[in-house]
Amino acid sequence: MAGIPLTQRGSAAGVRLLTAQRAADADPPDWQSWAESRDTLAIYMAAASLPLIRDQLLRHGMRGSMPVALVERLSLPDQRVR
């Protein structure tokens, strides 16, 4: 819907749907697995946590040159893509 492919031959063959919002008693995210994934990461409800997500993914080995897109309010009339 944002005009961005979630898979691309030679780059990402799969998609992981993840949430940034967790219950207080939930296990922490598996940052290592997320950072090492060859899949596209689609992280929902993440706007308030972007600095933490960025820092954790980089700390756990994600390349700093990894392409990123921020899509807010996907599929709504006031959708924003940055």
Side-chain angles (χ1 to χ4, degrees):
M1 298 190 138
I4 302 167
L6 293 178
T7 61
Q8 186 171 354
R9 189 175 301 142
S11 179
V15 178
R16 284 194 193 191
L17 304 176
L18 310 164
T19 180
Q21 301 299 316
R22 300 173 114 45
D25 61 347
D27 290 334
D30 184 353
W31 296 113
Q32 193 71 42
S33 173
W34 290 15
E36 293 174 350
S37 178
R38 298 268 315 173
D39 295 333
T40 297
L41 304 179
I43 306 173
Y44 290 83
M45 301 179 291
S49 304
L50 286 176
L52 170 70
I53 293 167
R54 176 203 59 220
D55 292 349
Q56 289 294 333
L57 291 174
L58 291 171
R59 184 172 294 126
H60 287 86
M62 184 170 276
R63 294 179 291 116
S65 61
M66 179 66 70
V68 174
L70 172 62
V71 181
E72 297 176 276
R73 303 182 60 78
L74 181 68
S75 81
L76 298 175
D78 57 343
Q79 171 181 295
R80 290 182 3 174
V81 179
R82 297 189 269 162

